[in-house]
Amino acid sequence: MVNLFGGLLGNYSEVSIPELKSQYGVYLTPQEEIRMGFKLVRDAFIITDDRLILIDHQGVTGKKTRVASIHLNSIYEVTMETGGTGFEDCEVTLHYITSPYHKSNNLQTSLYKFEFGKKFNVQPLYTALVSIASENCKRLNS
């Protein structure tokens, strides 16, 4: 019941890897492995060893599905906001490169924000993503 209320409020909750594989395994490439994943009522995001998969079920029935990817090697900045007092939630925001050539002069970027319940420990997710971003910054700026 708590997960349902969290979902209705727009907060992701963690899902087990076996459950993610059974529901979303069709979106994985042959050698890709799921590291962790989160669900929000019908929508989900999955972190694999190569990319972040965003799954958005649309419409009343949810049969129409939009699947998008953010490749981990394109993430260059991650910010975190922990929950405070009251109704404030935790947030993780990813800044990533959308242009196909990461070292181009015409660099295009975007951001994606994830919200979690205020009691969710967002620190491990933030630490994992910021270490990826740090390695990417070193690679991009070398």
Side-chain angles (χ1 to χ4, degrees):
M1 190 67 135
V2 171
N3 283 345
L4 175 62
F5 285 125
L8 292 174
L9 294 172
N11 299 325
Y12 284 94
S13 56
E14 194 163 4
V15 180
S16 71
I17 291 175
E19 186 179 339
L20 291 167
K21 281 185 182 178
S22 70
Q23 287 185 342
Y24 305 111
V26 296
Y27 302 119
L28 300 174
T29 60
Q31 304 302 320
E32 197 170 23
E33 292 291 323
I34 295 175
R35 299 294 181 215
M36 66 175 58
F38 301 87
K39 198 166 184 181
L40 168 71
V41 185
R42 299 186 308 181
D43 300 338
F45 80 89
I46 300 165
I47 300 173
T48 72
D49 50 355
D50 185 46
R51 62 193 169 123
L52 207 139
I53 304 170
L54 307 165
I55 300 163
D56 178 18
H57 293 284
Q58 301 173 351
V60 176
T61 62
K63 288 189 178 195
K64 181 178 179 180
T65 304
R66 180 179 184 273
V67 180
S69 294
I70 298 173
H71 290 275
L72 296 179
N73 68 0
S74 69
I75 298 170
Y76 65 90
E77 184 179 341
V78 181
T79 60
M80 174 185 79
E81 198 173 291
T82 60
T85 57
F87 294 107
E88 295 137 359
D89 295 323
C90 299
E91 294 178 355
V92 172
T93 304
L94 297 177
H95 299 262
Y96 61 98
I97 300 168
T98 58
S99 48
Y101 302 106
H102 293 180
K103 290 188 175 185
S104 71
N105 291 333
N106 216 5
L107 198 63
Q108 298 169 358
T109 63
S110 189
L111 64 90
Y112 201 92
K113 186 182 292 190
F114 301 96
E115 290 187 12
F116 300 89
K118 68 186 271 177
K119 294 188 187 270
F120 182 78
N121 183 9
V122 75
Q123 184 68 44
L125 175 62
Y126 169 77
T127 302
L129 291 171
V130 83
S131 68
I132 291 168
S134 176
E135 289 300 314
N136 289 341
C137 282
K138 289 176 189 173
R139 177 182 49 82
L140 290 167
N141 292 314
S142 64

